[in-house]
Amino acid sequence: MKLIGSNTSPYVRKARLVLLEKNIAHTYLVDPPSDPDSVVYRFNPLGRIPALILDDGTCVFDSPVIAEYADTLNDTPILIPRNNALAKMRVKRWEALADGIMDSAIVVRNERIRPAEKQEQNNIDLHLTAVTRTLDHVAEQLGERQWCEGDSISLADLALLSALVYLDLRQPERDWRSAHPNLSAWFNRMGTRPGVKISLAEQT
Ligand SMILES: N[C@@H](CCC(=O)N[C@@H](CS)C(=O)NCC(=O)O)C(=O)O
């Protein structure tokens, strides 16, 4: 299978981390939709990445669907609980929080690259505040535990990591590590994982 993406997209990073963590053989193709000739338009009518192309040509999108599909391919590890509806909901809720951070950070990014006179400061402030509030929340939820949910790695950890890497890229002025030392320690522990190391080496 082939994962089409870009090294800056946090949603792509989440999908890539799932494939790497589960050791699922795939080719990673950097081919962002900002290039009008990107192959992504042939596979995903939305023209969005990540897009996972299966060997029979089936295209899987978007990142939560890719994560859920990929998680069914093997059990090493299981990233989304299978037999416990509440535990599954909690992991997916972490994913929603992480995706929400990404969504808001992208709104801020898109505003900031507009000419200064066209930027909507209210919109920027709204989304910066949403990110701050959500970081406060996830840091509190994590506490001193090793994993976001349960007693092993899950999609929750991979999604949150992807959101934080994106914040480092687009909001380097945001000192979330000082604000949340527990999140910082968790991030550093996550950074020792082989799949995470590969992904972190893929920036820009
Ligand atoms: N909800 C989608 C979001 C995907 C998305 O918006 N991807 C962005 C990149 S971060 C994209 O492809 N935008 C189109 C573009 O860059 O032209 C997911 O989780 O996969």
Side-chain angles (χ1 to χ4, degrees):
M1 60 180 76
K2 197 183 292 182
L3 180 69
I4 306 175
S6 80
N7 288 339
T8 54
S9 165
Y11 313 99
V12 170
R13 189 173 307 285
K14 179 180 32 150
R16 172 96 161 123
L17 280 170
V18 167
L19 297 174
L20 289 169
E21 192 64 43
K22 293 178 72 73
N23 243 315
I24 294 171
H26 67 285
T27 306
Y28 176 44
L29 180 69
V30 174
D31 189 8
S34 50
D35 176 353
D37 294 327
S38 170
V39 295
V40 77
Y41 293 105
R42 275 194 254 143
F43 292 104
N44 180 355
L46 295 168
R48 288 190 192 154
I49 48 173
L52 182 69
I53 317 301
L54 307 187
D55 292 344
D56 69 357
T58 301
C59 182
V60 188
F61 54 87
D62 50 4
S63 65
V65 182
I66 293 173
E68 248 188 285
Y69 169 73
D71 197 42
T72 63
L73 299 181
N74 68 44
D75 295 353
T76 49
I78 292 174
L79 293 174
I80 303 173
R82 302 208 178 136
N83 303 315
N84 181 333
L86 271 179
K88 176 176 177 178
M89 177 279 290
R90 285 194 297 267
V91 166
K92 297 289 291 178
R93 191 174 58 182
W94 274 99
E95 184 185 28
L97 288 168
D99 285 4
I101 292 173
M102 300 171 195
D103 296 344
S104 279
I106 286 172
V107 171
V108 172
R109 159 81 179 159
N110 288 343
E111 282 287 352
R112 284 179 170 167
I113 58 177
R114 300 175 81 198
E117 68 279 8
K118 291 195 173 157
Q119 292 181 21
E120 294 220 19
Q121 194 55 46
N122 283 351
N123 200 26
I124 293 176
D125 292 344
L126 190 78
H127 287 279
L128 285 176
T129 303
V131 171
T132 303
R133 215 174 33 230
T134 309
L135 286 178
D136 291 348
H137 176 81
V138 296
E140 196 200 325
Q141 292 294 305
L142 178 66
E144 298 308 319
R145 287 180 300 113
Q146 190 180 355
W147 309 106
C148 290
E149 193 58 51
D151 54 9
S152 60
I153 191 164
S154 73
L155 176 62
D157 299 284
L158 302 179
L160 181 58
L161 187 94
S162 305
L164 293 174
V165 172
Y166 189 69
L167 287 182
D168 283 345
L169 175 70
R170 297 299 189 210
Q171 297 179 22
E173 72 284 3
R174 181 187 280 282
D175 194 4
W176 61 265
R177 287 174 176 79
S178 298
H180 304 295
N182 64 328
L183 218 47
S184 177
W186 166 89
F187 187 94
N188 292 341
R189 283 196 306 274
M190 288 291 291
T192 64
R193 301 183 73 79
V196 174
K197 278 188 188 166
I198 292 171
S199 171
L200 291 182
E202 297 167 342
Q203 301 216 38
T204 64

Short mmCIF file of all heavy atoms in Angstrom, two decimals, residues 9-11 14 33-34 41 47-50 62-64 99 106, ligand 1:
data_model
loop_
_atom_site.label_atom_id
_atom_site.label_comp_id
_atom_site.label_asym_id
_atom_site.label_seq_id
_atom_site.Cartn_x
_atom_site.Cartn_y
_atom_site.Cartn_z
N SER A 9 1.94 17.98 7.12
CA SER A 9 0.55 17.74 7.53
C SER A 9 0.47 16.88 8.81
O SER A 9 0.97 15.76 8.85
CB SER A 9 -0.23 17.03 6.42
OG SER A 9 -1.44 16.50 6.94
N PRO A 10 -0.19 17.40 9.84
CA PRO A 10 -0.30 16.61 11.08
C PRO A 10 -1.20 15.39 10.92
O PRO A 10 -0.99 14.38 11.59
CB PRO A 10 -0.92 17.62 12.07
CG PRO A 10 -1.63 18.61 11.22
CD PRO A 10 -0.86 18.72 9.94
N TYR A 11 -2.17 15.48 10.02
CA TYR A 11 -3.05 14.33 9.80
C TYR A 11 -2.28 13.20 9.11
O TYR A 11 -2.48 12.03 9.40
CB TYR A 11 -4.26 14.73 8.93
CG TYR A 11 -4.94 15.99 9.36
CD1 TYR A 11 -4.67 17.19 8.72
CD2 TYR A 11 -5.85 15.99 10.42
CE1 TYR A 11 -5.29 18.37 9.10
CE2 TYR A 11 -6.48 17.17 10.81
CZ TYR A 11 -6.19 18.35 10.15
OH TYR A 11 -6.81 19.52 10.54
N LYS A 14 -0.11 11.50 11.65
CA LYS A 14 -0.87 10.54 12.46
C LYS A 14 -1.02 9.21 11.71
O LYS A 14 -0.78 8.13 12.27
CB LYS A 14 -2.25 11.13 12.81
CG LYS A 14 -3.10 10.19 13.61
CD LYS A 14 -4.48 10.71 13.98
CE LYS A 14 -5.12 11.63 13.01
NZ LYS A 14 -6.61 11.54 13.02
N PRO A 33 -1.23 18.11 -2.16
CA PRO A 33 -2.21 18.65 -3.09
C PRO A 33 -1.94 20.09 -3.49
O PRO A 33 -2.60 20.60 -4.40
CB PRO A 33 -3.54 18.52 -2.34
CG PRO A 33 -3.18 18.30 -0.92
CD PRO A 33 -1.81 17.77 -0.85
N SER A 34 -0.96 20.74 -2.83
CA SER A 34 -0.58 22.09 -3.27
C SER A 34 0.03 22.03 -4.67
O SER A 34 0.04 23.03 -5.39
CB SER A 34 0.42 22.71 -2.28
OG SER A 34 1.47 21.81 -2.04
N TYR A 41 -5.33 13.82 -6.46
CA TYR A 41 -6.60 14.18 -7.12
C TYR A 41 -7.19 13.00 -7.89
O TYR A 41 -8.38 12.98 -8.17
CB TYR A 41 -6.39 15.39 -8.04
CG TYR A 41 -6.09 16.64 -7.25
CD1 TYR A 41 -4.78 17.15 -7.20
CD2 TYR A 41 -7.07 17.29 -6.52
CE1 TYR A 41 -4.49 18.28 -6.44
CE2 TYR A 41 -6.79 18.41 -5.76
CZ TYR A 41 -5.49 18.90 -5.73
OH TYR A 41 -5.22 20.01 -4.98
N GLY A 47 -9.30 15.90 -2.66
CA GLY A 47 -7.98 16.47 -2.88
C GLY A 47 -7.23 16.70 -1.59
O GLY A 47 -6.46 17.65 -1.46
N ARG A 48 -7.48 15.82 -0.62
CA ARG A 48 -6.84 16.00 0.70
C ARG A 48 -5.92 14.84 1.02
O ARG A 48 -6.15 13.71 0.57
CB ARG A 48 -7.90 16.12 1.79
CG ARG A 48 -8.63 17.43 1.74
CD ARG A 48 -9.47 17.60 2.98
NE ARG A 48 -10.38 18.72 2.80
CZ ARG A 48 -11.54 18.83 3.43
NH1 ARG A 48 -11.92 17.90 4.28
NH2 ARG A 48 -12.30 19.88 3.21
N ILE A 49 -4.95 15.16 1.83
CA ILE A 49 -4.05 14.15 2.36
C ILE A 49 -4.25 14.08 3.87
O ILE A 49 -4.65 15.08 4.47
CB ILE A 49 -2.58 14.48 2.00
CG1 ILE A 49 -2.28 15.95 2.34
CG2 ILE A 49 -2.30 14.19 0.55
CD1 ILE A 49 -0.83 16.36 2.20
N PRO A 50 -4.02 12.89 4.45
CA PRO A 50 -3.49 11.66 3.89
C PRO A 50 -4.51 10.90 3.05
O PRO A 50 -5.71 10.96 3.31
CB PRO A 50 -3.13 10.83 5.14
CG PRO A 50 -4.11 11.28 6.17
CD PRO A 50 -4.30 12.76 5.91
N ASP A 62 -10.54 9.74 5.55
CA ASP A 62 -9.45 10.61 5.91
C ASP A 62 -8.67 9.96 7.07
O ASP A 62 -8.78 8.75 7.26
CB ASP A 62 -9.98 12.00 6.27
CG ASP A 62 -11.12 11.97 7.28
OD1 ASP A 62 -11.47 10.88 7.76
OD2 ASP A 62 -11.67 13.04 7.61
N SER A 63 -7.92 10.75 7.83
CA SER A 63 -6.99 10.12 8.77
C SER A 63 -7.65 9.23 9.83
O SER A 63 -7.12 8.16 10.14
CB SER A 63 -6.05 11.15 9.41
OG SER A 63 -6.76 12.06 10.22
N PRO A 64 -8.83 9.60 10.38
CA PRO A 64 -9.45 8.66 11.34
C PRO A 64 -9.85 7.34 10.68
O PRO A 64 -9.79 6.28 11.31
CB PRO A 64 -10.68 9.43 11.84
CG PRO A 64 -10.34 10.87 11.63
CD PRO A 64 -9.55 10.90 10.36
N ASP A 99 -7.10 16.14 16.79
CA ASP A 99 -7.49 16.65 15.46
C ASP A 99 -8.00 18.08 15.57
O ASP A 99 -7.77 18.91 14.68
CB ASP A 99 -8.58 15.77 14.83
CG ASP A 99 -8.03 14.44 14.32
OD1 ASP A 99 -6.83 14.17 14.51
OD2 ASP A 99 -8.80 13.67 13.72
N ILE A 106 -4.25 25.00 11.99
CA ILE A 106 -4.24 25.23 10.54
C ILE A 106 -5.00 26.51 10.19
O ILE A 106 -4.58 27.28 9.33
CB ILE A 106 -4.77 23.99 9.79
CG1 ILE A 106 -3.70 22.90 9.83
CG2 ILE A 106 -5.14 24.34 8.35
CD1 ILE A 106 -4.14 21.54 9.31
N1 LIG B 1 -9.94 15.65 8.41
C1 LIG B 1 -8.92 15.36 7.43
C2 LIG B 1 -8.10 16.60 7.18
C3 LIG B 1 -7.16 16.42 6.00
C4 LIG B 1 -6.61 17.75 5.56
O1 LIG B 1 -7.22 18.81 5.69
N2 LIG B 1 -5.41 17.70 5.03
C5 LIG B 1 -4.79 18.91 4.53
C6 LIG B 1 -3.32 18.95 4.78
S1 LIG B 1 -3.01 19.30 6.43
C7 LIG B 1 -4.93 19.00 3.08
O2 LIG B 1 -4.79 17.99 2.42
N3 LIG B 1 -5.24 20.19 2.58
C8 LIG B 1 -5.28 20.41 1.17
C9 LIG B 1 -4.11 21.18 0.70
O3 LIG B 1 -3.09 21.25 1.40
O4 LIG B 1 -4.19 21.70 -0.39
C10 LIG B 1 -8.08 14.17 7.93
O5 LIG B 1 -8.10 13.92 9.12
O6 LIG B 1 -7.43 13.49 7.11
#
